Amino acid sequence: MIGNDIVDLQLAKTQSNWRRRGYLQKIFTKEERQQILDSENRDKMIWLFWSMKEAAYKAWQRKHNLAPKFNPCSLECFLQSSNSKSTTGKVIIEEESIFTKSFFNSNFIHSRASCREDEKIIWKSLSSKEDLRQSLLREFVATAGTFSKFPKLKKDRNFIPQFYIDDQALSYNFSLSHHGSFSGFAFSLNNS
Amino acid sequence: MEEKDLNAQLKNIVEPYAQNKEALLKFNDSSHFIQDLEVNSANLVDIILDVEDEFDIEVDNDSMEGMLTVEDAKKIIRQKLQEK
């Protein structure tokens, strides 16, 4: 199972005041907060961790088919390797490791997560002006194979979107994310 | 606390973060902060901090975990006020 999350850094600056008293304590563990405080670019570190958590949570929620909940402190991020454009890491949720990759530039941070380290994932970030659902469907149909009809997207009862052909859900998993001027998608080529 | 006062106070708190203003007009117990009111998940933390300030309570992480709808929030606020 997979998940993805995108953060528009410009919007995050005006939308969220992480300097507010108590804010970071509600979202990050003690170790994460220390890494944020020690980092040269605190904004970037905060939204990197945040997007990793969101992406990992989505993957984990889908895997266990859970109703949504909100407890960011119960997830902990660990960075493994980084360069100037991307980083790999993992997020631990209830002793389970979720594997993440993040891409960033000065405008956005995009993370994707998977429960299996070797999962084959297609992920893309786009401008919000483009139609996210259509882009995902086009990319999916182009890479995942032939279908009797063009699939549609629908959300299930846990608000998790699925591909459907007529009323039949396809067993591929994917994730959509949208924030400000950017959106992103990820889907797995491993048929679940 | 009167039910309608609690509703009004909570609506006031949520208002600046709700991106779906139409859903805000229909603000009710079953309104889901993220799905209906389209609150950005990072702003859910602001709502929780505002609730803590407004009602002078502390919402621990376990309570926060279940605070996804207006009804959930009201339940937690009432419970925390009682514990005071």
Side-chain angles (χ1 to χ4, degrees):
Chain A
M1 289 290 165
I2 61 159
N4 93 125
D5 188 69
I6 199 157
V7 176
D8 177 334
L9 292 172
Q10 218 41 50
L11 180 61
K13 238 177 221 166
T14 56
Q15 204 174 40
S16 297
N17 173 19
W18 57 260
R19 289 173 183 84
R20 177 176 185 184
R21 200 172 135 252
Y23 191 90
L24 295 181
Q25 282 83 345
K26 288 262 187 254
I27 303 184
F28 298 114
T29 65
K30 211 175 148 201
E31 285 73 22
E32 288 166 344
R33 294 203 301 273
Q34 195 55 51
Q35 283 187 68
I36 290 165
L37 293 176
D38 290 345
S39 81
E40 283 172 23
N41 186 341
R42 291 179 181 175
D43 279 276
K44 182 179 147 194
M45 202 61 158
I46 283 166
W47 301 117
L48 171 63
F49 280 161
W50 176 258
S51 70
M52 285 169 68
K53 287 189 189 214
E54 285 268 315
Y57 171 72
K58 288 177 190 173
W60 184 78
Q61 185 207 1
R62 284 158 165 76
K63 180 179 173 193
H64 299 286
N65 202 17
L66 299 170
K69 61 175 190 171
F70 185 73
N71 190 350
C73 272
S74 66
L75 285 66
E76 185 155 34
C77 299
F78 297 88
L79 299 179
Q80 283 160 335
S81 61
S82 300
N83 60 38
S84 59
K85 278 188 291 202
S86 66
T87 181
T88 60
K90 65 180 178 184
V91 177
I92 310 275
I93 313 177
E94 292 183 11
E95 295 177 7
E96 197 172 329
S97 290
I98 312 287
F99 305 92
T100 64
K101 274 192 182 148
S102 306
F103 172 84
F104 37 80
N105 58 32
S106 54
N107 298 316
F108 65 83
I109 295 178
H110 187 199
S111 295
R112 58 89 161 156
S114 61
C115 297
R116 281 174 41 191
E117 201 165 9
D118 60 350
E119 188 122 15
K120 279 200 190 105
I121 295 171
I122 310 276
W123 59 313
K124 228 177 184 171
S125 46
L126 22 144
S127 143
S128 292
K129 288 183 199 121
E130 296 170 72
D131 188 322
L132 175 63
R133 290 167 163 252
Q134 283 309 317
S135 309
L136 165 68
L137 283 168
R138 269 202 309 271
E139 189 86 21
F140 174 68
V141 169
T143 45
T146 358
F147 300 101
S148 57
K149 275 187 183 170
F150 203 77
K152 285 195 173 110
L153 294 181
K154 274 194 261 181
K155 280 186 180 176
D156 71 6
R157 62 185 152 79
N158 286 332
F159 305 110
I160 295 170
Q162 309 278 359
F163 290 120
Y164 280 85
I165 290 183
D166 297 325
D167 287 330
Q168 192 68 41
L170 302 181
S171 54
Y172 287 87
N173 68 95
F174 67 96
S175 166
L176 299 171
S177 177
H178 172 239
H179 188 228
S181 305
F182 302 98
S183 49
F185 67 72
F187 63 88
S188 168
L189 289 174
N190 300 78
N191 204 318
S192 50
Chain B
M1 188 185 300
E2 292 277 339
E3 182 71 17
K4 65 173 193 322
D5 294 340
L6 182 53
N7 259 334
Q9 266 175 295
L10 194 56
K11 192 180 171 187
N12 261 340
I13 288 175
V14 173
E15 192 166 2
Y17 310 111
Q19 299 181 81
N20 187 336
K21 299 297 173 197
E22 233 166 88
L24 196 64
L25 292 174
K26 290 183 281 181
F27 187 88
N28 65 64
D29 278 1
S30 65
S31 301
H32 193 289
F33 292 128
I34 292 173
Q35 298 296 334
D36 299 323
L37 297 162
E38 294 177 18
V39 173
N40 178 281
S41 50
N43 284 139
L44 211 47
V45 182
D46 289 294
I47 291 180
I48 288 154
L49 291 170
D50 288 348
V51 162
E52 289 188 332
D53 291 346
E54 176 83 14
F55 298 96
D56 192 25
I57 53 175
E58 196 194 323
V59 180
D60 53 279
N61 288 342
D62 284 341
S63 305
M64 179 169 90
E65 176 176 306
M67 221 170 110
L68 295 172
T69 65
V70 170
E71 191 180 15
D72 299 335
K74 280 166 37 179
K75 217 184 274 173
I76 289 159
I77 293 166
R78 287 192 186 286
Q79 187 199 334
K80 297 290 170 192
L81 283 174
Q82 249 174 19
E83 285 170 10
K84 273 216 295 193

